[in-house]
């Protein structure tokens, strides 16, 4: 969808309002980009945008997929997100400690409509994204200079943290995750693909 589609009933528009569109709904529902849920989708979009700024939509997976992005060659990428500041923080809150979920999961199979009996990490690599800005007064989720990314092949987690449920920043760095800004994200992902 482009966002320009009008919300309608029986073939007629709801009102002449500019807000009675899909774009109006998107603005109403997802304008708080600092919110934990929305920020996760935003980070997935940033990873897809880094891979192809002309067509990030080609990497989008189905809802309920067991990974977030899949490249044309079949590389499955899981995007995890954390932030130093949360939407519920006041100016007096200290920054949060970055932490990401890495727990093995039951994987959904679209063909059989079932979940796997065993839990594992189905993606080939993880991109741990961090909205790393500390100042609540200048917090801006669409300023890519406020973000950092850490790329790690899944086999490293499977070897070093086989049953791990979460990981913080320093342990992630010790595992050898490649740290990069947005400009270097595509190269870091391609480097990790070569390590799979």
């Amino acid at each position: 969808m482009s966002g320009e589609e009008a919300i309608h009933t029986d073939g007629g528009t709801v009102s002449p309002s500019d807000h009675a569109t899909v774009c109006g709904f998107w603005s109403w529902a997802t304008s708080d980009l600092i919110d934990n849920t929305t920020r996760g989708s935003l980070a997935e979009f940033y990873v897809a945008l880094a891979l192809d700024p002309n067509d990030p939509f080609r990497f989008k997976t189905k809802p309920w997929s067991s990974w977030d992005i899949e490249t044309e060659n079949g590389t499955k990428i899981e995007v995890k997100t954390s932030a130093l500041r949360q939407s519920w923080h006041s100016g007096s809150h200290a920054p949060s400690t970055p932490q990401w979920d890495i727990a093995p999961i039951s994987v959904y199979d679209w063909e059989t409509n079932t979940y796997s009996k065993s839990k594992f990490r189905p993606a080939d690599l993880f991109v741990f994204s961090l909205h790393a800005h500390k100042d609540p007064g200048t917090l801006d989720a669409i300023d890519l200079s406020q973000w950092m990314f850490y790329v790690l092949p899944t086999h490293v987690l499977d070897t070093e943290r086989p049953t791990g449920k979460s990981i913080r920043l320093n342990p992630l760095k010790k595992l050898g995750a490649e740290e990069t800004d947005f400009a270097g994200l595509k190269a870091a992902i391609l480097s990790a693909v070569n390590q799979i």
Side-chain angles (χ1 to χ4, degrees), residues 29 63 175:
L175 290 181

Side-chain angles (χ1 to χ4, degrees), residues 150-182:
Y150 304 85
V151 183
L152 189 69
T154 302
H155 68 79
V156 177
L157 289 174
D158 289 342
T159 300
E160 301 295 329
R161 301 278 182 108
T163 59
K165 294 183 179 178
S166 64
I167 193 166
R168 291 187 173 183
L169 184 56
N170 286 335
L172 181 60
K173 289 180 178 181
K174 287 179 183 176
L175 290 181
E178 184 170 350
E179 180 178 8
T180 182
D181 59 7
F182 178 78

Side-chain angles (χ1 to χ4, degrees), residues 119-133:
K119 293 186 176 184
F120 61 100
R121 299 178 180 115
D124 299 304
L125 62 94
F126 279 69
V127 175
F128 298 94
S129 47
L130 175 62
H131 192 195
H133 197 69

Side-chain angles (χ1 to χ4, degrees), residues 39-54:
R39 187 179 56 230
S41 295
L42 181 64
E44 292 170 21
F45 176 68
Y46 285 163
V47 172
L49 194 64
L51 290 171
D52 186 349
N54 295 315

Side-chain angles (χ1 to χ4, degrees), residues 46-69:
Y46 285 163
V47 172
L49 194 64
L51 290 171
D52 186 349
N54 295 315
D55 188 10
F57 296 96
R58 66 189 175 117
F59 304 114
K60 188 170 176 60
T61 57
K62 296 178 184 177
W64 297 102
S65 291
S66 298
W67 50 88
D68 300 312
I69 290 172

Side-chain angles (χ1 to χ4, degrees), residues 59-103:
F59 304 114
K60 188 170 176 60
T61 57
K62 296 178 184 177
W64 297 102
S65 291
S66 298
W67 50 88
D68 300 312
I69 290 172
E70 187 166 349
T71 65
E72 289 168 339
N73 68 359
T75 301
K76 299 180 284 291
I77 302 172
E78 181 69 19
V79 181
K80 297 296 185 182
T81 311
S82 190
L84 299 183
R85 290 283 173 191
Q86 311 299 328
S87 59
W88 42 266
H89 274 173
S90 68
S92 62
H93 276 91
S96 294
T97 301
Q99 181 170 295
W100 297 270
D101 175 24
I102 59 168

